[in-house]
Amino acid sequence: MANQHRSLFSAIFILTICTAASAQQKTATPYLPTHAEVLQNYKAADALDSALKKVPYLTGIRPNWEQGSNEFWYGKKTANNQTAYILVDADKGTRATLFETGQLSSDVSRLTGKPVKDCVFRVEEMFFSPDKKQATFKTLGAWLKYDLATKKVELTKDTTHHRYDNDKPLQERHFRWEGANTDSISPDKKWIAAVKGGNIIVRSADKQTEIKLTTDGNAEKPYGELTWSPDSRHLVGYRIDSREAKKVYYLLSSVPGTTRAVLKSHDYEQPGDEFTTYEQYLFNIDTKTGIKTDAEKIDFFGAPRLHWRNGNSRYFTYEKADRGHQRFRVIEVDVNTGKTRNIIDEKTKTFIYEQRIFTFYDAKSHKIVWVTEKDGWRHVYMVDELTGAQKLVTKGNWVVRDVDSVDVSKKQIWFRGSGRNAGEDPYLMYFYRINYDGGNLVDLTPERGNHNIVFSPDRKYFVDTYSQVNVAPKVVLKNTATLKTVAELEHGDVNQLLATGIKLPEVFVAKARDGKTDIWGVIYRPANMDPQKSYPVIENIYAGPQDSFVPKSFSVVNEMQSIAQLGFIVVQIDGMGTANRSKAFHDVCWQNLADAGFPDRILWMKALAAKYPQVDISRVGVYGTSAGGQNSSGALLFHPEFYKAAVSACGCHDNRIDKQWWNEQWMGYPVGPHYEQQSNITNAGKLQGDLMLIVGEADNNVPPESTYRFADALIKSNKMFDFLMVPGMGHSDGGPYGRKKKKDFFVKHLLHAEPPARNVNEMAAN
């Protein structure tokens, strides 16, 4: 009875909401501009873009730490599009402006012999004299020395300094296919291993002794990829059964100085293509014998990187991800017997996200730090290398996004994660530290926002920049040990931005197809939106499962805002099937890329329309690039009842045509009938609505024939569409020309108005 009451209440509630939404919609008149109003919108949009370029709004800073010092400099945009360069001393907690570009632009132009437009030049590198009285910086291909007291600038050849690479990770990462070597010298420097005629030859360093370890190798199936044991007594190698990578081709039609098209090709493995395989062998230098290990052939991504057990040359481990992405192992090998043992053996019925597998080997403690989604959320496990025992280090309904570093002396893991904080956007990034045993979890960045931090070289300090899509950034310098703020460096101000008339984006949340899961997105509105009018909706779509894509940090000037100025409400949404949520959320994409989260996206936009009468979901457009190009076309093919117009750039319109590593990750291996069933090309005859295809003839990411074949299928199905091929362009949304065409397309098909006649400069004439 209680369930019946709840069902009745839900029905009444939904009916009330729908009725209220319907009543609201009646108060908003569809926005259908006249041609004169369209021209005015274009001019106003250009004027707003120009005004925004002059506003010194803050999106963040890039700290450039000095090597061996706790000082750093950064650039900050100021009035009139200039840049101020600032020096910070973390130990003293001081911040001082060195100069603004406008102060030095005439001297820089004179000394470099190059024009400095609008008093703007960019400092590429900079370092300081020991007494901090002089700054030496590089710009426009020249090095200049600036005296901070006299304000004088001169050319200099004294450019010796030790530059700290802020982008280099504290611990270098290696993937499992990056490890093996050929023609290697043994660790004790006594032996040199090489491959000759397909067979392994080992020579003594004094060239007095030569050992032929194999005789059955040949050019077709050679041995290779050799790695020495730490004690130089064993050599690990592989019998290789090679497969030549197949090629894809494209034509460059308009190369200057030619009268014929130029044919280009490059290696490109597609789903289902055969890979080179590797059989693992062990060779004993003392006995001059070899044995084949009982490991399976490696048929995916080449010979692996080996991890030798600390202080022991008898055992090594390597990582193996099976083709099809449904099994991942860390395998131990006994070099004396050739026997193997699985230390980690993860299996799944869907997929293991290969590119986000993280492992770190703490050799001294025989621990493996391993990040996996196997418990339903992406978390850190500690694995005992000797016993295989696993312990969950982080836990809960949230996600470890990446590991920054592992401190083996303090037995701590530094990582970034999202979704821990209840009641807020689960995609916001925070930084944490936790002990090996799962204790003492510390939030380094507790302030609400999407965080990005850069550590000082000694990690005593870090600069934290945090913001939200509609909350201006704050930049603080913190002490890593105490987490106390040493200094506030910057605090963004939106007042000048708002004075231009621009509207900040809004974060909007609605329920997914399951009625429980929150779907997050953002909304961009025209600056001059009339609340009595209803506007077409355009979705910027990218549903690639490798990540999430809705912006989380403050950034007002972008294409979505620019399109909105023409009379649209522009949205971006992360639907089910994208990453950075639960494994179940992610698994929706498995062998199901055509889904693209559309059921969630459509419900989200319907909820948006129910709240805001200015949202007209009878006129919905969509655009995207690459996987987004596949998605935008798929919107018209599979959901024509909702989407009415689409612009699709360099789309992967059939997952059999695109790159192997990406498509097999999500669509699986072997290639089954679901590939064809979900192909835009196969389903071209279903097209309804208005479609524009864009492709660059020189695309070496997604082969151009993916778009050409889709166009061919549309033509054979007697479907009308617009087509733009950009000569010489690679993997792109069409560039400035294509973006103009995209805007004009949506104005024509969603606003039902004529865009400007650009060839006669109609906007200038009006």
Side-chain angles (χ1 to χ4, degrees):
M1 191 68 171
N3 288 337
Q4 290 177 345
H5 282 306
R6 277 197 294 270
S7 299
L8 179 60
F9 175 80
S10 298
I12 294 171
F13 177 76
I14 292 169
L15 179 61
T16 303
I17 291 295
C18 292
T19 304
S22 177
Q24 284 184 322
Q25 290 290 357
K26 291 177 182 177
T27 66
T29 304
Y31 178 62
L32 295 167
T34 65
H35 186 61
E37 289 172 329
V38 168
L39 296 180
Q40 185 58 38
N41 285 347
Y42 274 86
K43 291 176 69 174
D46 288 345
L48 182 60
D49 286 345
S50 298
L52 289 172
K53 290 177 182 177
K54 297 177 183 178
V55 175
Y57 66 91
L58 177 73
T59 56
I61 71 166
R62 176 185 169 84
N64 297 274
W65 291 91
E66 293 294 291
Q67 182 73 44
S69 167
N70 282 322
E71 295 177 319
F72 64 90
W73 62 270
Y74 66 92
K76 174 191 174 184
K77 187 178 178 182
T78 60
N80 300 317
N81 203 30
Q82 294 187 43
T83 301
Y85 287 95
I86 296 164
L87 177 64
V88 177
D89 186 320
D91 288 334
K92 297 178 181 178
T94 59
R95 173 188 179 279
T97 300
L98 300 168
F99 57 83
E100 286 195 9
T101 52
Q103 298 172 299
L104 305 184
S105 57
S106 59
D107 287 334
V108 168
S109 180
R110 173 177 55 83
L111 292 167
T112 62
K114 297 178 181 178
V116 177
K117 185 179 179 182
D118 299 327
C119 299
V120 177
F121 59 87
R122 187 175 71 87
V123 172
E124 302 168 30
E125 290 187 56
M126 183 156 52
F127 64 95
F128 305 91
S129 60
D131 59 9
K132 301 299 179 292
K133 292 182 178 180
Q134 293 178 325
T136 301
F137 62 89
K138 183 181 181 181
T139 187
L140 300 174
W143 283 93
L144 299 99
K145 185 175 290 186
Y146 173 61
D147 189 295
L148 276 65
T150 65
K151 313 298 183 186
K152 290 184 178 179
V153 189
E154 61 183 22
L155 288 171
T156 182
K157 294 182 179 179
D158 183 13
T159 61
T160 303
H161 72 292
H162 299 288
R163 180 177 177 271
Y164 178 69
D165 186 355
N166 292 274
D167 296 321
K168 185 177 180 180
L170 185 66
Q171 293 160 342
E172 188 176 357
R173 292 192 184 180
H174 295 282
F175 293 95
R176 59 202 57 86
W177 54 87
E178 290 183 338
N181 302 301
T182 301
D183 297 346
S184 62
I185 301 174
S186 63
D188 64 7
K189 311 300 181 186
K190 293 181 179 179
W191 300 97
I192 300 171
V195 175
K196 184 177 180 181
N199 286 297
I200 302 173
I201 305 294
V202 176
R203 300 185 185 92
S204 59
D206 60 9
K207 301 182 180 179
Q208 298 300 309
T209 305
E210 180 175 291
I211 304 169
K212 195 168 187 178
L213 292 175
T214 66
T215 58
D216 59 339
N218 52 52
E220 289 72 34
K221 291 186 177 182
Y223 287 88
E225 304 290 356
L226 310 178
T227 303
W228 285 97
S229 64
D231 64 4
S232 304
R233 296 182 59 198
H234 288 88
L235 193 65
V236 183
Y238 298 85
R239 184 79 186 273
I240 304 169
D241 189 358
S242 298
R243 294 292 182 273
E244 185 176 353
K246 296 180 181 179
K247 296 184 181 298
V248 293
Y249 300 85
Y250 59 90
L251 284 171
L252 297 179
S253 64
S254 307
V255 177
T258 66
T259 58
R260 293 177 174 84
V262 177
L263 178 65
K264 295 284 187 178
S265 68
H266 57 99
D267 292 347
Y268 196 92
E269 290 156 332
Q270 293 179 328
D273 284 358
E274 280 191 282
F275 274 15
T276 295
T277 62
Y278 300 80
E279 286 186 289
Q280 192 177 75
Y281 284 80
L282 304 170
F283 301 96
N284 187 307
I285 305 304
D286 296 335
T287 63
K288 304 179 181 58
T289 59
I291 57 173
K292 181 182 175 300
T293 70
D294 63 7
E296 301 166 19
K297 280 186 180 180
I298 297 169
D299 63 349
F300 187 50
F301 277 144
R305 189 174 190 82
L306 308 185
H307 303 270
W308 292 89
R309 184 174 295 177
N310 186 49
N312 188 329
S313 291
R314 179 173 175 178
Y315 299 97
F316 67 84
T317 60
Y318 68 95
E319 299 176 9
K320 186 177 190 300
D322 286 10
R323 190 167 185 180
H325 304 278
Q326 293 182 293
R327 190 180 189 187
F328 169 74
R329 282 172 282 176
V330 174
I331 301 171
E332 178 190 83
V333 179
D334 182 336
V335 298
N336 287 347
T337 65
K339 298 295 183 183
T340 62
R341 175 175 70 97
N342 294 330
I343 296 174
I344 294 174
D345 190 357
E346 181 183 8
K347 301 175 185 177
T348 178
K349 293 181 179 180
T350 56
F351 63 88
I352 296 169
Y353 189 176
E354 163 76 6
Q355 285 75 42
R356 287 215 183 159
I357 292 173
F358 176 88
T359 51
F360 176 86
Y361 295 80
D362 182 347
K364 289 185 178 179
S365 64
H366 298 293
K367 300 294 185 185
I368 303 173
V369 179
W370 174 42
V371 179
T372 172
E373 292 181 298
K374 76 172 194 167
D375 86 326
W377 299 82
R378 193 164 189 258
H379 280 302
V380 177
Y381 285 75
M382 189 65 64
V383 182
D384 189 302
E385 180 185 40
L386 303 180
T387 67
Q390 299 178 6
K391 176 181 174 57
L392 190 60
V393 178
T394 59
K395 61 185 68 175
N397 294 348
W398 55 280
V399 178
V400 172
R401 298 282 287 272
D402 196 11
V403 173
D404 167 75
S405 59
V406 178
D407 187 330
V408 296
S409 59
K410 295 182 179 179
K411 301 193 180 311
Q412 294 175 335
I413 302 163
W414 299 61
F415 67 95
R416 64 189 74 184
S418 60
R420 270 194 81 237
N421 302 333
E424 68 175 49
D425 187 334
Y427 296 93
L428 294 179
M429 192 88 78
Y430 294 88
F431 287 73
Y432 302 92
R433 183 182 68 231
I434 195 169
N435 293 344
Y436 274 15
D437 62 5
N440 194 29
L441 175 64
V442 177
D443 186 348
L444 304 176
T445 55
E447 298 84 0
R448 185 165 182 163
N450 197 48
H451 291 260
N452 182 51
I453 69 176
V454 179
F455 287 100
S456 61
D458 62 4
R459 297 177 79 83
K460 183 179 178 181
Y461 303 99
F462 65 87
V463 175
D464 179 15
T465 302
Y466 61 96
S467 67
Q468 296 177 59
V469 69
N470 50 11
V471 178
K474 193 172 183 179
V475 185
V476 294
L477 173 66
K478 285 190 174 185
N479 182 295
T480 307
T482 67
L483 300 183
K484 290 183 178 179
T485 298
V486 176
E488 181 180 302
L489 303 177
E490 302 290 346
H491 196 158
D493 183 0
V494 299
N495 289 329
Q496 286 181 274
L497 273 173
L498 294 176
T500 66
I502 197 171
K503 295 182 184 298
L504 296 181
E506 177 190 347
V507 177
F508 188 76
V509 185
K511 293 301 180 185
R513 68 190 80 176
D514 61 5
K516 300 176 182 179
T517 306
D518 285 337
I519 299 296
W520 291 73
V522 290
I523 314 156
Y524 293 82
R525 297 176 173 87
N528 59 346
M529 189 178 79
D530 183 344
Q532 302 304 314
K533 299 287 180 70
S534 64
Y535 294 79
V537 179
I538 297 177
E539 181 185 358
N540 172 16
I541 191 170
Y542 190 98
Q546 75 269 22
D547 211 336
S548 52
F549 306 97
V550 172
K552 300 300 172 185
S553 295
F554 189 80
S555 179
V556 174
V557 180
N558 58 40
E559 189 187 23
M560 288 185 280
Q561 185 64 59
S562 180
I563 292 173
Q565 297 311 118
L566 300 180
F568 303 102
I569 291 174
V570 183
V571 302
Q572 189 172 5
I573 309 155
D574 281 319
M576 284 188 167
T578 51
N580 302 325
R581 298 285 289 275
S582 69
K583 182 73 166 83
F585 189 102
H586 203 184
D587 276 348
V588 170
C589 74
W590 173 241
Q591 297 188 347
N592 190 31
L593 288 183
D595 177 276
F598 281 124
D600 313 306
R601 299 170 188 277
I602 292 169
L603 286 171
W604 188 94
M605 282 182 267
K606 287 180 177 179
L608 184 66
K611 182 175 181 180
Y612 295 113
Q614 298 83 16
V615 175
D616 183 355
I617 56 171
S618 70
R619 295 181 288 166
V620 179
V622 58
Y623 71 92
T625 300
S626 194
Q630 176 185 20
N631 306 145
S632 52
S633 291
L636 297 188
L637 300 178
F638 304 117
H639 299 277
E641 77 291 344
F642 190 78
Y643 293 94
K644 307 304 180 186
V647 176
S648 168
C650 59
C652 163
H653 295 290
D654 188 311
N655 295 105
R656 296 169 295 183
I657 296 175
D658 193 34
K659 61 195 75 63
Q660 177 276 331
W661 64 266
W662 195 91
N663 292 273
E664 286 188 11
Q665 169 73 79
W666 316 115
M667 292 292 279
Y669 175 82
V671 175
H674 60 288
Y675 275 80
E676 180 177 7
Q677 291 163 3
Q678 296 180 49
S679 165
N680 288 348
I681 298 170
T682 303
N683 290 282
K686 296 178 181 178
L687 178 66
Q688 297 181 44
D690 300 297
L691 173 65
M692 168 182 265
L693 298 178
I694 300 174
V695 67
E697 69 174 4
D699 193 339
N700 57 16
N701 185 329
V702 177
E705 60 258 39
S706 183
T707 299
Y708 298 152
R709 289 178 183 226
F710 185 33
D712 177 58
L714 290 168
I715 291 168
K716 288 175 178 174
S717 298
N718 200 31
K719 297 294 181 179
M720 299 295 109
F721 62 100
D722 291 0
F723 186 86
L724 171 64
M725 187 277 287
V726 183
M729 188 183 77
H731 194 63
S732 167
D733 64 352
Y737 186 82
R739 287 190 285 274
K740 289 178 183 177
K741 295 282 287 184
K742 174 167 56 184
K743 289 179 179 179
D744 292 354
F745 181 86
F746 285 132
V747 165
K748 179 177 180 180
H749 293 289
L750 294 180
L751 292 177
H752 307 296
E754 280 300 314
R758 297 178 186 273
N759 289 352
V760 295
N761 204 5
E762 189 179 11
M763 283 192 292
N766 285 269

